[in-house]
Amino acid sequence: MNPPFAILAIVQEGSETAVEIAFEPFLPGLILLFPLLGFLVNGALALVSGKRAADVARAGGEWTLPENDRPSTHILPSLVGPGVLFAAFAIVAANFLRMQGAGFESPVVVTYWSWIVTSTFEAAASLQLDQLSMVMMLVVTGVGFLIHVFSVGYMKDDPSYPRYFAYLNLFVFFMLVLVSGASFPIMFVGWEGVGLCSYLLIGFWFKDRENADAGKKAFIVNRIGDVGFLIAMFLLYNKFHTLDFGPVFASAPDTLIYGGSLVTAVTLFLLLGAVGKSAQIPLYVWLPDAMAGPTPVSALIHAATMVTAGVYMVTRTSVLFALAPVGGLVVAGIGALTALFAATIALAQYDIKKVLAYSTVSQLGYMFLGVGVGAYTAGVFHLMTHAFFKALLFLGSGAVIYSIHHALHHTHKDWDAQDMRNMGGLRKHLPVTCVTMWVATLAIAGIWPFAGFFSKDEIIWYAGAAAEGPHTAWYVLFWAMSLVTAMMTAFYMTRMMIMTFHGENRTGEAERKHLHEPPPTMTVPLIVLAVLSLLGGWINVPEALKQSWIGMFGALPMSEWLHHWLEPVVGMAVEIRADHVGEFAKSAPLGGGEVVWAGLSTLMAIAVVVASVAFVRKWVILPATESAEPAGGVRRLLYRKWCVDELYDRVVVRPIVAGSRFLWKVVDAGIVDGLVNVTGSLSRAFGFVGSMFQTGAVNTYAFILTAGVVLILWAVAL
Amino acid sequence: MQVLLDALGYGDWILHALLWLPLVGLGLVLWGPEERAKGLAFAWSAGVFVLSLGLWWAFEPGVAGFQLASSAPWITGWGVSYALGVDGISLFMVLLTTFTTPLAILGSFSYIRKKERGFYALMLLLETGVLGVFLSLDLFLFYVFFELTLVPMYFIVGVWGGERRIYAAVKFFLYTALGSLLMLVAILYLYFQGRSQLGAGTFAYMDLLQVTLTLKEQIWLFAAFALAFSIKVPLFPVHTWLPDAHVEAPTAGSVVLAAILLKMGTYGFIRFLLPFFPGAVQHETIVMVMMGLGVTGILYAAWVAAVQPDAKKLVAYTSVSHMGFVVIGVFALTVNGLQGGMMVMISHGVSTGALFLLLGMLYERRHTRLIEDFGGLAAVAPWLTTAFVVTALTSIGLPGTSGFVGEFLALLGTFETHPWMAGIASLGVIFAAYYMLPMVQRMFFNGLVRKENRGVPDLSRRELAIMVPLVALMIWIGVQPAPFLRRMEPSIEAVLERVESGRSAQVRLDERNPAPELAAQPAAGL
């Protein structure tokens, strides 16, 4: 299975005369060490500052930050938090540049120490540096850095500021472990680690019960998926006797039967893990609740990085998914269904973060569809562009919430700062936020030449192109669903933008004066992300589109760059698919080539955006306190999110709690312990009866003696 | 380090010193004044711990058999010997004991307010008893120590316990004594079999291993031993003494009970059941029963734990759940399963011990164990909260903590031979979050609603000194378990080899015809 890599090394160089330089990683351990150090420093500061706040709280007061004279525990995190991210990003970038010039056949694995080791199993603490982990690390540290900078402005007045950065740094550490681990167990360390940080950050403001509840829900739902991951590992270990990526993937094509039950089971269990972490049906329910955390957290964890871990996982294990066509089909199906389903809910939400949350679930569905049909590059491509524009949307919503919150705070108005019905007309007050968010909206809506257009279009295209092969009907259906979802996306995003930034302002007369654009620490990251949301798609313009107007007639310098870049990682999977299923079709299910459909999709998106602008602007919107819950069947059902939470509560949560109570009260205390106590009571009763004969009266003893003799004589006589 | 230890002749005296020094301390505590008792007991047990640390270096990692072993006749007429030794299995149990005891004593400083001398003397007696169980290489000696541990624990619960302490203490004593009586019968049976086969009566562990038993005998003896150990573990359904004992016991009692006493059960599985009755432990029905009970315990106890209103009772039930992982790992009869089981034992000792210590600290502050009486403590006691959350996460097996290593290996090893059992047991991972996180939330998060909770102080220096080593150990084992695994591996493999060879011997024995030949040459196999 050497050839694909060997060929690639040359393709990458572009000419056969290129000198192959072996890739030497540059201090890769520091990439992880920096965020970990940040966690330790900020964590120590958090303990110190927490102690001080606790002392005040115990005395009955509430500790507030002094306005001008900030304590050092609240100054240092501003430097350490984003600082370690920048350092990590710099090292990732250095490694990325080194990798550019080098050709290498197999991933570079750097081992630090042996972790879990027995005579039959070994999992070392080792990192894998290859093209895929490099892309992921760039996104995690790059976008992560911007979000850390934004957080400096957003969180600066929070009394628990150092704790916030401690968690955030720890999250980045675990996320880097996840994407760079060289074996399944190490990946699992990151996998559960990011879940932990997500739990801590969702419940960051733990004094409100809803926040703590949301964090707990996220953790438990994620653990359902984690069991899938565990069982997949056990299955793989029984077959390969190792869980290191290298040997497993290298021998998988020869060891596993194509479409066999083992590989299918492995992929389905892995998928269960991915579904939990990436919030897909049926385990998506935790993500909308996760919006209880601070908004930059939503941007980092619940949009740009952690929730894409499932997509990363399927890409990483692409060889297995290629060997299990049913596994791939299920991935694609879940992705398409989730994309559509979540989009319908997003149509009717009023909370700006809820719209974005369901939008994230929906976009993750697209990525699953992409990797499910075997277009791994397309999935990772969308993961990347989505990280740009969705982080931007969340941060933008954070800027909006920040400014509304401050305005409401000034006048002590008890309104919901996240309800879009309380917004409107903000473009005058927050022009930078408005413009940058529009860039992101056009990107997610799939309008040329913004980033989302290229990545989403590629997924839709491949979903259609996969229809030429087995399961045609399913893939045609998925393709149609993804097209419908694209229209819905354009609508709900436009609706959100209009309700937030346009029309008349509904925040209130007195409050309006206090609406301001946030400080540069927050707007600069928005601008950078806006540039990335515009240009990010240009790195991977498909060959077929390059010479058309879509590829600017060949003027773009980097067409199909990501495709070539990732080929060493997913090449084997692509080859397996080609061998068994054949090449992807050259036309969509309804006919027409890539250029035609790309053009059609952007035209449709533009049409929907334009129509929605006109449509939504005509709405009469009242502030939240004056509005009733939407009437009418469908709208109400969508507003209530299809009542899935209520359904789960009735069908899963309550029976488990009732069952637990039954086991405790009836089985454990009643039967099991009851038997123990009965044994005790019986022996006491026996002793009591026996003790009754011990009266001390001679006539009783004489009577018993006589009775005994008579009994024995009677027995003998018989 | 090695040179220094050699110069001191460390290996020659250390096991005896560890075993009897706590008794010397007991004398000093009883002799000394009441107000000095706790300080003396702590200093003494801490000194024992420091001494025991030398074992880490004195122990040769690559060796399977018993090390630092010594044997002297005790009751010559019955063939009873005073034989001690450690191998990779008991080493960690010994260290866990010497590590936990001083912390448990330190955790009692402000909790125990009456009859202090008696309490601390009993704690030291308990230490000797437990160390005797783990160090004995003679079944008679083992049995004496096994029963000896009951006495101090009975009084610790019965005198310094909560409201229903008498009920709990009696239940604890009778339940576990009943189980071990059957074990005594089994030991005697082994002894008499040994006397007829080997020519001389002996209780020595290594000698009795050479006794050949028919499968039927093995199954009966297995049942007797297994009952005694299962009650100690405790395995579902003989677990109900544990929640009562934990709830009523004072903090130190709970800590030692959870961290060490339960391990005597699973230690017994590995030390006695597997090597002595290889035919029985490979008997399909027996394996399925033991594993079935283990898996049932994992899920059942997790569910029951989740709805407990009393925090201590909740943690008590989680012990049953955790020990279930040990049981399935052991009976999977794979290297990974057994090593995983051992790691769960160590990790559970550290994390559950820590949880009971923390709950004790909270009890001292609020005089309640009910979860609903707390709430929002993170705002007033952030350090305590941090310690609790880290410990809770270790308990539910988060990767990077000691809890994960054991659980993962135990499940991995079980999956090798019993995939369905392992698959079902994996669900315990979900339910661990289901019992632990709601408790953490209801005690430490949410609003600081109750007035009484507003004045709760954070960790004192003494409490910090207790928690720091515990938390450090959880993280250290989680990140770097290899030194632990490497030290136990040869001994674990030796046990498995013995189980394997026992099977082939069994086949010969069951074919009936070679039986006399085996009886004539009992030592041929070894």
Side-chain angles (χ1 to χ4, degrees):
Chain A
M1 284 297 130
N2 215 354
F5 298 132
I7 292 163
L8 263 150
I10 294 163
V11 170
Q12 226 170 282
E13 294 301 326
S15 85
E16 45 285 308
T17 52
V19 186
E20 289 219 359
I21 316 154
F23 168 63
E24 293 236 2
F26 173 69
L27 300 174
L30 283 185
I31 300 170
L32 282 77
L33 196 63
F34 274 120
L36 187 65
L37 281 177
F39 160 69
L40 293 175
V41 171
N42 286 323
L45 294 171
L47 284 174
V48 172
S49 127
K51 190 115 198 154
R52 189 175 43 211
D55 289 338
V56 180
R58 226 175 291 119
E62 189 161 346
W63 187 66
T64 44
L65 271 174
E67 195 55 48
N68 292 317
D69 185 26
R70 292 278 149 118
S72 56
T73 52
H74 286 62
I75 296 170
L76 281 172
S78 313
L79 303 171
V80 176
V84 292
L85 260 283
F86 186 77
F89 176 72
I91 299 173
V92 175
N95 276 293
F96 177 70
L97 291 178
R98 277 196 181 192
M99 207 180 253
Q100 289 282 317
F104 55 104
E105 300 200 345
S106 54
V108 173
V109 174
V110 191
T111 302
Y112 293 94
W113 69 86
S114 51
W115 181 43
I116 300 181
V117 49
T118 75
S119 57
T120 54
F121 174 74
E122 177 160 16
S126 42
L127 305 182
Q128 171 161 337
L129 293 151
D130 65 0
Q131 292 81 354
L132 178 59
S133 61
M134 208 41 83
V135 170
M136 293 301 292
M137 287 201 277
L138 276 175
V139 171
V140 171
T141 55
V143 177
F145 170 65
L146 294 173
I147 294 171
H148 275 64
V149 172
F150 184 92
S151 298
V152 170
Y154 191 82
M155 297 295 287
K156 67 176 188 299
D157 294 327
D158 196 288
S160 301
Y161 188 65
R163 184 165 60 92
Y164 173 82
F165 273 108
Y167 291 168
L168 219 55
N169 283 167
L170 184 65
F171 167 77
V172 172
F173 167 73
F174 277 125
M175 192 68 209
L176 289 169
V177 172
L178 198 168
V179 298
S180 65
S183 65
F184 284 96
I186 295 290
M187 183 178 172
F188 191 72
V189 172
W191 192 266
E192 284 231 311
V194 291
L196 163 71
C197 298
S198 164
Y199 162 75
L200 293 170
L201 281 161
I202 295 168
F204 182 75
W205 290 309
F206 54 81
K207 286 174 195 161
D208 288 328
R209 203 198 148 130
E210 297 83 62
N211 301 343
D213 276 342
K216 182 179 67 188
K217 179 174 175 182
F219 197 98
I220 294 176
V221 173
N222 264 297
R223 274 223 148 177
I224 298 174
D226 294 354
V227 168
F229 195 140
L230 277 175
I231 292 179
M233 280 198 275
F234 301 153
L235 285 167
L236 284 172
Y237 173 73
N238 269 8
K239 188 74 186 172
F240 295 96
H241 303 290
T242 175
L243 289 175
D244 293 343
F245 288 148
V248 169
F249 299 145
S251 56
D254 300 327
T255 319
L256 298 168
I257 303 158
Y258 179 83
S261 56
L262 177 65
V263 71
T264 306
V266 168
T267 52
L268 290 180
F269 278 117
L270 282 177
L271 174 63
L272 179 60
V275 159
K277 191 105 314 186
S278 292
Q280 298 292 290
I281 289 173
L283 299 179
Y284 71 94
V285 288
W286 64 270
L287 184 61
D289 288 29
M291 297 300 123
T295 304
V297 169
S298 312
L300 179 61
I301 302 185
H302 306 119
T305 56
M306 183 188 84
V307 289
T308 62
V311 182
Y312 165 77
M313 179 221 255
V314 177
T315 311
R316 176 56 79 202
T317 59
S318 54
V319 172
L320 303 177
F321 279 89
L323 286 167
V326 175
L329 181 72
V330 176
V331 174
I334 285 182
L337 185 64
T338 309
L340 182 62
F341 180 80
T344 61
I345 299 177
L347 296 173
Q349 299 304 308
Y350 291 120
D351 184 314
I352 186 167
K353 284 185 75 180
K354 282 276 154 71
V355 175
L356 292 175
Y358 282 102
S359 160
T360 303
V361 175
S362 174
Q363 295 298 312
L364 289 166
Y366 269 116
M367 296 173 212
F368 268 62
L369 177 61
V371 293
V373 299
Y376 304 103
T377 308
V380 175
F381 186 24
H382 197 55
L383 183 162
M384 199 184 82
T385 59
H386 178 259
F388 300 150
F389 58 70
K390 190 51 72 65
L392 170 49
L393 285 168
F394 266 116
L395 292 184
S397 81
V400 168
I401 295 163
Y402 176 91
S403 100
I404 300 253
H405 178 82
H406 275 258
L408 294 174
H409 191 73
H410 258 286
T411 56
H412 306 286
K413 195 163 170 180
D414 183 24
W415 272 16
D416 186 351
Q418 297 182 194
D419 197 310
M420 296 188 297
R421 288 169 297 190
N422 299 337
M423 297 175 184
L426 294 183
R427 76 174 189 284
K428 291 183 213 119
H429 308 281
L430 295 93
V432 177
T433 311
C434 177
V435 171
T436 52
M437 278 182 84
W438 264 113
V439 171
T441 299
L442 297 178
I444 194 175
I447 288 167
W448 185 86
F450 294 92
F453 162 77
F454 293 97
S455 57
K456 181 151 66 174
D457 189 63
E458 207 174 323
I459 289 174
I460 298 175
W461 170 256
Y462 276 108
E468 197 176 273
H471 313 297
T472 302
W474 284 113
Y475 287 116
V476 172
L477 178 67
F478 300 159
W479 175 72
M481 285 161 83
S482 64
L483 281 173
V484 174
T485 309
M487 306 294 110
M488 285 186 182
T489 311
F491 170 74
Y492 68 67
M493 287 310 301
T494 313
R495 167 181 175 270
M496 184 194 91
M497 291 305 290
I498 301 291
M499 283 183 78
T500 306
F501 289 103
H502 301 273
E504 284 300 304
N505 179 269
R506 300 176 291 272
T507 315
E509 203 66 48
E511 288 74 19
R512 206 163 300 148
K513 290 198 283 288
H514 299 288
L515 290 169
H516 298 298
E517 189 89 74
T521 45
M522 291 161 76
T523 48
V524 170
L526 294 182
I527 294 166
V528 176
L529 285 168
V531 172
L532 290 171
S533 301
L534 173 62
L535 306 179
W538 298 3
I539 61 165
N540 199 37
V541 179
E543 206 59 47
L545 306 182
K546 195 181 172 187
Q547 294 305 327
S548 71
W549 60 273
I550 293 164
M552 299 183 191
F553 305 105
L556 295 176
M558 294 172 73
S559 66
E560 293 220 352
W561 172 83
L562 188 67
H563 188 74
H564 292 307
W565 178 250
L566 288 179
E567 226 166 321
V569 181
V570 301
M572 201 192 285
V574 171
E575 197 177 79
I576 292 167
R577 189 189 186 280
D579 284 351
H580 291 273
V581 184
E583 298 288 336
F584 283 101
K586 296 272 178 263
S587 63
L590 297 179
E594 218 170 332
V595 182
V596 176
W597 280 94
L600 269 179
S601 83
T602 194
L603 285 178
M604 282 193 289
I606 292 170
V608 173
V609 170
V610 170
S612 317
V613 168
F615 178 60
V616 177
R617 288 201 74 143
K618 278 192 223 138
W619 286 358
V620 181
I621 303 168
L622 296 172
T625 45
E626 297 162 37
S627 326
E629 186 171 306
V634 177
R635 265 185 79 187
R636 194 182 175 123
L637 191 62
L638 292 182
Y639 176 74
R640 293 233 180 137
K641 306 149 193 170
W642 295 96
C643 296
V644 173
D645 274 316
E646 288 79 357
L647 180 78
Y648 281 3
D649 189 51
R650 295 248 168 90
V651 179
V652 183
V653 180
R654 282 195 219 174
I656 285 182
V657 174
S660 303
R661 281 188 191 287
F662 174 81
L663 282 183
W664 172 36
K665 297 267 188 191
V666 178
V667 179
D668 204 62
I671 300 171
V672 180
D673 201 35
L675 283 174
V676 176
N677 285 329
V678 164
T679 317
S681 309
L682 272 182
S683 51
R684 284 182 73 161
F686 193 69
F688 177 71
V689 171
S691 73
M692 296 226 296
F693 295 101
Q694 311 297 317
T695 57
V698 179
N699 46 2
T700 318
Y701 292 150
F703 171 73
I704 293 169
L705 185 71
T706 322
V709 170
V710 170
L711 247 160
I712 291 167
L713 285 176
W714 182 59
V716 171
L718 276 175
Chain B
M1 200 69 199
Q2 200 81 51
V3 179
L4 180 68
L5 292 175
D6 285 346
L8 291 169
Y10 182 83
D12 300 330
W13 50 262
I14 181 61
L15 298 188
H16 308 283
L18 286 182
L19 183 57
W20 301 114
L21 274 179
L23 277 194
V24 177
L26 178 152
L28 292 175
V29 167
L30 285 180
W31 200 282
E34 177 87 4
E35 65 275 11
R36 286 274 192 77
K38 55 186 177 189
L40 195 60
F42 171 69
W44 196 265
S45 58
V48 170
F49 171 61
V50 171
L51 270 184
S52 71
L53 272 181
L55 283 176
W56 186 262
W57 290 275
F59 185 87
E60 297 249 359
V63 180
F66 289 98
Q67 303 184 28
L68 317 180
S70 63
S71 176
W74 179 21
I75 310 173
T76 40
W78 297 352
V80 176
S81 57
Y82 167 68
L84 303 182
V86 284
D87 68 350
I89 298 162
S90 51
L91 172 71
F92 293 102
M93 295 298 106
V94 169
L95 289 175
L96 187 63
T97 307
T98 56
F99 173 71
T100 316
T101 307
L103 294 179
I105 289 175
L106 193 58
S108 309
F109 273 24
S110 55
Y111 192 97
I112 301 298
R113 295 276 183 203
K114 61 172 186 181
K115 301 185 190 122
E116 292 186 26
R117 270 189 301 188
F119 179 83
Y120 292 106
L122 286 171
M123 285 297 290
L124 290 167
L125 179 63
L126 193 56
E127 185 171 15
T128 286
V130 176
L131 287 172
V133 167
F134 293 134
L135 290 173
S136 293
L137 289 184
D138 181 281
L139 266 69
F140 190 90
L141 194 65
F142 168 81
Y143 187 78
V144 168
F145 282 118
F146 196 77
E147 292 295 83
L148 178 65
T149 57
L150 288 184
V151 180
M153 199 61 207
Y154 172 76
F155 286 110
I156 286 172
V157 177
V159 177
W160 290 271
E163 280 164 29
R164 294 174 73 226
R165 56 182 179 267
I166 302 298
Y167 170 77
V170 171
K171 191 173 183 178
F172 161 76
F173 193 95
L174 286 184
Y175 215 139
T176 46
L178 185 83
S180 39
L181 276 179
L182 285 172
M183 180 170 75
L184 178 63
V185 175
I187 290 176
L188 289 175
Y189 186 89
L190 267 179
Y191 170 77
F192 286 113
Q193 278 293 316
R195 201 170 63 174
S196 64
Q197 288 184 20
L198 307 173
T202 174
F203 281 99
Y205 178 82
M206 297 308 287
D207 294 340
L208 287 181
L209 277 177
Q210 300 174 30
V211 174
T212 36
L213 300 162
T214 65
L215 184 59
K216 197 172 165 190
E217 284 173 318
Q218 288 196 25
I219 289 174
W220 279 103
L221 295 177
F222 175 92
F225 270 94
L227 183 66
F229 294 140
S230 299
I231 290 173
K232 270 279 189 272
V233 171
L235 190 60
F236 172 88
V238 288
H239 64 277
T240 53
W241 62 270
L242 184 75
D244 285 320
H246 266 312
V247 168
E248 300 306 327
T251 300
S254 287
V255 173
V256 175
L257 188 59
I260 312 167
L261 292 196
L262 306 189
K263 309 303 177 300
M264 291 174 12
T266 41
Y267 172 77
F269 282 176
I270 303 173
R271 173 67 75 233
F272 296 103
L273 289 184
L274 264 47
F276 275 110
F277 317 118
V281 292
Q282 292 177 98
H283 191 275
E284 193 142 344
T285 316
I286 288 181
V287 172
M288 287 322 271
V289 167
M290 296 305 285
M291 282 213 159
L293 292 178
V295 171
T296 310
I298 292 172
L299 299 179
Y300 171 92
W303 282 38
V304 174
V307 288
Q308 295 302 317
D310 182 318
K312 237 179 150 183
K313 210 163 186 175
L314 191 154
V315 176
Y317 275 106
T318 69
S319 284
V320 181
S321 190
H322 281 125
M323 296 308 277
F325 283 105
V326 184
V327 174
I328 61 167
V330 168
F331 283 93
L333 300 178
T334 56
V335 176
N336 292 333
L338 271 160
Q339 297 238 57
M342 284 291 299
M343 291 307 289
V344 175
M345 283 159 74
I346 298 170
S347 171
H348 174 263
V350 176
S351 65
T352 311
L355 277 178
F356 279 121
L357 280 163
L358 287 160
L359 289 178
M361 294 168 194
L362 288 170
Y363 183 81
E364 285 171 39
R365 286 162 168 74
R366 290 277 289 102
H367 298 287
T368 176
R369 294 185 304 260
L370 292 182
I371 297 169
E372 61 174 10
D373 287 342
F374 297 96
L377 292 184
V380 287
W383 292 36
L384 200 157
T385 306
T386 306
F388 199 99
V389 170
V390 173
T391 310
L393 293 170
T394 306
S395 176
I396 66 173
L398 199 83
T401 67
S402 57
F404 174 73
V405 179
E407 241 175 63
F408 177 78
L409 272 180
L411 287 171
L412 185 75
T414 307
F415 200 92
E416 289 172 51
T417 50
H418 299 80
W420 283 102
M421 287 286 181
I424 299 168
S426 306
L427 296 176
V429 171
I430 304 171
F431 294 116
Y434 162 63
Y435 61 63
M436 196 55 91
L437 296 187
M439 175 174 78
V440 169
Q441 181 187 349
R442 288 168 66 198
M443 292 176 75
F444 297 97
F445 303 147
N446 297 346
L448 197 58
V449 182
R450 284 170 191 267
K451 207 164 64 239
E452 306 89 324
N453 288 330
R454 286 192 201 151
V456 168
D458 209 339
L459 291 179
S460 67
R461 280 187 191 177
R462 175 178 61 83
E463 289 165 333
L464 200 61
I466 298 172
M467 292 317 299
V468 166
L470 286 165
V471 168
L473 196 59
M474 293 174 210
I475 305 290
W476 180 42
I477 301 178
V479 175
Q480 186 65 282
F484 291 75
L485 291 164
R486 239 178 246 133
R487 278 176 173 76
M488 62 180 75
E489 186 178 288
S491 304
I492 295 281
E493 286 198 316
V495 168
L496 280 174
E497 267 166 38
R498 179 155 172 98
V499 172
E500 280 297 313
S501 65
R503 171 160 44 197
S504 43
Q506 200 54 55
V507 171
R508 274 182 280 142
L509 203 62
D510 284 348
E511 281 165 0
R512 282 294 160 221
N513 40 337
E517 177 190 327
L518 262 182
Q521 293 172 306
L526 285 145

